[in-house]
Amino acid sequence: MTVLQALARQHERLVRVGEAPSYGFSREPISYALVISLEGSVVDVAPLLDTSGRTPHPTPYDVPQRAKRTSGVASNFLWDKTAYVLGVKGDPDTKQRAPAPREHAAFRKLHADLLAETDDAALQALHRFLDQWTADSYAFLPNADGMLDQNIVFRLDGELSFIHKRPEAREIWIRHLSGQQGPEGLCLVTGSTGSLARVHARIKGVWGAKGQGADIVSFNKRAFESFGKEQGANAPISAQAAFAYATTLNALLATDSRRRIQIGDATTVFWAEATGGEDAANAAEELFAMLAEPPTATEEEATIADKLSAIGSGRPFADAVAGVDEQTRFHVLGLSPNAGRLSIRYWHTDTLGAIARRIVEHWRDMHIEPLPWRTPPAASRVLIETAPLDKNPKRRADRIPPIFGGTLMRAILTGSPYPRSLLATVIMRMRQDRDINGLHAINGLRAAICKACLARDYRLGLTTEDVPVSLNPNETNVAYRLGRLFAVYEKVQSAALGNVNATIKDRYFGAASATPASIFPLLERTSGHHLATLRKNEKAGLAHWFEREIDDILAGVDTALPRSLRLEEQGRFAIGYHHQRASRRRGSADETTDTHTDEGE
């Protein structure tokens, strides 16, 4: 199933539960209703503002679909701003009321054309209102100042429903839309023949895209067209299918949507097919949201841990997560901005059970001891570790390298290897960053990312060497042991000199992890001086412990120090460093070294 087909099918569900408008309509913020009499005179101006919050704001209503105003003037049907409906707008310079004759003329013409032959009493009243209205009368309306430049609908005096909801109004609008579409053709989404959409509605809510929205399907230059076809005819999609997919996507991307998350530069939406009923679909979406972005509230941590353990244990899914059908069809779509268009970063369709188990596999690959988190990190939290520090200093989401969100999510959802660029970038950040204001260059999460990349390659049979989850003194990998050795040298320096402006980690970690043979002899000589300082300061026992630890680590290195380490081996070096750095001293009652889990970073 294609992206547009799945979105069009989801539209039926959203309309059924009242979360999206039906074909030909859109959900727009409305502030006032103009109440008119049968004779067309204004009776009242009724405010429709939502006053539940601190500041009143417009209330969303389903109205005839908004006109696409790329440039120039285009009127909406039975609703619009005061410039179109009443011929008055706010002057941006003087902040005073100003006439809007062009906009009001467009509104009058559209309604004169569409309402010329109607027999509906309310629509006839609206027609009379437009015939007799003048912009000079605006000053005498109630709420004239507050209503300026706000969206307005119409209501007939004595009725509660709006005029645009009357059956005759809907029929007139749908007939008008059909006449506005392109020629008949075979729709690529539905497979049926119908009027093809010439242009498609814009998609709003994608992080980083233009405020007025961006297009997924568009042909705005001759270079994009072929075989003499213009605009939408190059990708024939019926008007109803184009409306359905765009409306669904805008609903999923809404600010208050519970079906969207941000992963790097990819704004991600997800939804379940409601074949098993609305409750089952909602339960599936709630489970995915919890797995994709685990909540950090303390009271929910145990619940999350229980569900993770149950899903990964191989037990029947119904026993692991009550009320959720693992065969529920589930869709995940990632979008990123690309000038005036949107790029699809990833699109994945599978059963909920398969997706949930792959997310659990991702967390197993990430697992490292000691755990640098209370609940497993969301993909967005993983990606933030690839961002360089800014001047504040902190790591910001907008500094995450582009496309990482898509490549990481594809690896998680499909179970494929993590992108090599992820491992390379994390290692680069560990080498270049410095410990500032509690942010550690080599922290538990970055070590976990290295471990995940290596562990998944081993699990998929791409390599023959596994990677330790926790400190393993018996691990013979040279890079891992050198990482441990570097951590011990750092502890020796700290014990001998206390806090210094630049530790050996600040100066030598990058070079030591890439070219060990050129750095470790220097570190060994420096460590000898530090051990001598410890003995002079009556810390001979501590010096003896460090010497024994160094000897134990070097005893497992049977070859000469390597001149260079490959990218994967640099990852093992970082893991070994983290394991040794985070462990407490073994074999001594004087446990003076600290853990280094970086929890909460």
Side-chain angles (χ1 to χ4, degrees):
M1 183 182 298
T2 67
V3 174
L4 300 188
Q5 285 175 328
L7 288 169
R9 289 180 58 169
Q10 175 69 359
H11 180 247
E12 300 174 5
R13 175 192 171 195
L14 296 183
V15 171
R16 187 168 59 250
V17 298
E19 294 185 22
S22 57
Y23 171 61
F25 287 75
S26 60
R27 191 155 292 171
E28 305 290 347
I30 306 297
S31 299
Y32 294 90
L34 205 62
V35 184
I36 60 176
S37 67
L38 286 172
E39 292 75 26
S41 60
V42 178
V43 176
D44 193 10
V45 175
L48 302 176
L49 298 172
D50 184 351
T51 59
S52 59
R54 292 184 177 180
T55 304
H57 58 273
T59 303
Y61 286 97
D62 291 349
V63 295
Q65 189 175 353
R66 174 188 289 272
K68 193 170 185 179
R69 295 170 182 160
T70 53
S71 62
V73 174
S75 173
N76 295 320
F77 182 57
L78 298 179
W79 72 279
D80 217 315
K81 294 184 179 296
T82 56
Y84 284 86
V85 176
L86 302 172
V88 179
K89 63 182 178 181
D91 189 306
D93 296 325
T94 64
K95 310 298 182 183
Q96 302 296 320
R97 293 195 293 265
R102 293 177 61 240
E103 291 89 340
H104 186 55
F107 190 82
R108 290 170 63 97
K109 184 179 186 308
L110 175 65
H111 289 76
D113 293 342
L114 297 186
L115 304 182
E117 300 179 0
T118 181
D119 295 328
D120 185 88
L123 295 176
Q124 288 178 342
L126 176 58
H127 200 179
R128 296 188 191 100
F129 162 77
L130 293 175
D131 285 342
Q132 63 192 41
W133 172 260
T134 62
D136 295 337
S137 304
Y138 183 86
F140 302 101
L141 292 177
N143 297 314
D145 291 333
M147 185 168 54
L148 195 64
D149 290 332
Q150 300 300 307
N151 287 331
I152 298 173
V153 294
F154 292 90
R155 198 176 75 199
L156 188 64
D157 187 27
E159 295 186 357
L160 297 178
S161 181
F162 302 123
I163 291 179
H164 67 263
K165 290 191 173 183
R166 298 175 75 90
E168 176 71 12
R170 297 178 68 92
E171 291 177 9
I172 291 174
W173 179 239
I174 297 301
R175 284 199 304 269
H176 173 70
L177 284 182
S178 299
Q180 294 292 107
Q181 303 304 332
E184 295 281 318
L186 181 66
C187 175
L188 296 179
V189 173
T190 63
S192 58
T193 301
S195 297
L196 301 180
R198 192 171 58 88
V199 293
H200 297 195
R202 285 178 172 170
I203 309 303
K204 298 181 180 181
V206 175
W207 181 73
K210 295 181 178 179
Q212 64 267 34
D215 298 310
I216 284 185
V217 180
S218 68
F219 301 87
N220 62 341
K221 292 184 179 180
R222 295 295 300 273
F224 305 144
E225 300 173 353
S226 58
F227 298 102
K229 298 181 182 295
E230 296 182 354
Q231 293 186 319
N234 289 273
I237 297 174
S238 69
Q240 293 201 20
F243 175 88
Y245 90 72
T247 302
T248 299
L249 203 45
N250 280 321
L252 296 174
L253 289 166
T255 304
D256 58 350
S257 173
R258 57 183 176 82
R259 303 184 184 95
R260 65 167 286 170
I261 54 178
Q262 190 66 41
I263 302 174
D265 72 333
T267 302
T268 301
V269 293
F270 54 89
W271 67 95
E273 291 194 20
T275 53
E278 191 62 28
D279 291 342
N282 288 333
E285 290 164 352
E286 290 173 2
L287 175 63
F288 179 84
M290 185 200 72
L291 295 176
E293 285 194 329
T296 57
T298 305
E299 62 272 13
E300 296 177 316
E301 292 172 6
T303 301
I304 296 170
D306 290 343
K307 288 187 177 182
L308 291 181
S309 175
I311 292 173
S313 65
R315 291 163 47 192
F317 203 85
D319 297 339
V321 187
V324 179
D325 182 6
E326 68 173 309
Q327 296 303 320
T328 300
R329 204 70 186 165
F330 208 85
H331 309 281
V332 187
L333 172 65
L335 300 169
S336 295
N338 182 8
R341 293 179 173 81
L342 297 178
S343 297
I344 295 179
R345 288 296 190 207
Y346 53 91
W347 163 244
H348 187 72
T349 298
D350 207 334
T351 63
L352 177 66
I355 291 175
R357 290 189 177 95
R358 288 188 186 119
I359 292 176
V360 173
E361 287 176 356
H362 159 67
W363 286 338
R364 282 179 174 171
D365 290 335
M366 290 278 294
H367 185 85
I368 194 169
E369 295 289 349
L371 278 176
W373 52 70
R374 285 190 293 267
T375 56
S380 56
R381 181 66 187 86
V382 172
L383 289 175
I384 202 69
E385 294 299 334
T386 66
L389 295 175
D390 63 9
K391 295 180 180 179
N392 286 341
K394 63 179 181 179
R395 299 186 183 103
R396 295 190 337 214
D398 60 355
R399 304 193 74 186
I400 295 172
I403 80 170
F404 266 20
T407 54
L408 176 62
M409 282 303 293
R410 276 196 296 272
I412 293 174
L413 295 174
T414 63
S416 58
Y418 294 104
R420 266 297 168 268
S421 56
L422 176 64
L423 177 61
T425 302
V426 168
I427 290 175
M428 179 184 67
R429 292 266 57 88
M430 288 191 292
R431 296 176 61 175
Q432 294 183 356
D433 289 351
R434 294 292 181 267
D435 296 352
I436 305 176
N437 290 1
L439 292 174
H440 294 279
I442 310 166
N443 57 42
L445 187 49
R446 284 180 171 176
I449 295 171
C450 295
K451 185 261 177 183
C453 293
L454 300 174
R456 177 160 294 196
D457 285 352
Y458 174 77
R459 184 165 57 81
L460 296 178
L462 302 178
T463 59
T464 58
E465 191 173 6
D466 201 358
V467 59
V469 174
S470 58
L471 179 65
N472 183 4
N474 299 320
E475 173 61 55
T476 59
N477 181 274
V478 174
Y480 181 84
R481 281 187 172 265
L482 291 178
R484 291 181 56 206
L485 182 61
F486 189 91
V488 174
Y489 284 154
E490 183 187 16
K491 290 183 179 183
V492 170
Q493 181 193 48
S494 176
L497 305 181
N499 294 329
V500 294
N501 290 331
T503 67
I504 64 168
K505 180 180 70 174
D506 298 328
R507 291 182 175 181
Y508 301 119
F509 181 87
S513 63
T515 56
S518 63
I519 298 297
F520 272 92
L522 170 63
L523 297 178
E524 183 181 7
R525 290 193 299 272
T526 305
S527 176
H529 296 309
H530 293 156
L531 291 171
T533 300
L534 288 176
R535 294 189 186 93
K536 291 178 182 178
N537 294 336
E538 298 181 353
K539 294 183 179 180
L542 183 59
H544 175 70
W545 183 88
F546 279 131
E547 288 176 335
R548 188 179 62 185
E549 191 78 356
I550 291 171
D551 290 342
D552 287 345
I553 293 173
L554 288 175
V557 181
D558 298 330
T559 60
L561 294 179
R563 292 182 176 273
S564 63
L565 294 177
R566 295 181 298 110
L567 179 67
E568 293 78 8
E569 296 306 300
Q570 292 179 45
R572 292 180 187 275
F573 183 100
I575 296 168
Y577 170 85
H578 170 72
H579 281 163
Q580 186 70 35
R581 180 70 179 81
S583 68
R584 289 188 176 274
R585 287 172 47 210
R586 296 169 291 110
S588 171
D590 181 21
E591 296 186 349
T592 59
T593 58
D594 58 76
T595 59
H596 186 60
T597 62
D598 300 314
E599 189 172 294
E601 286 186 11

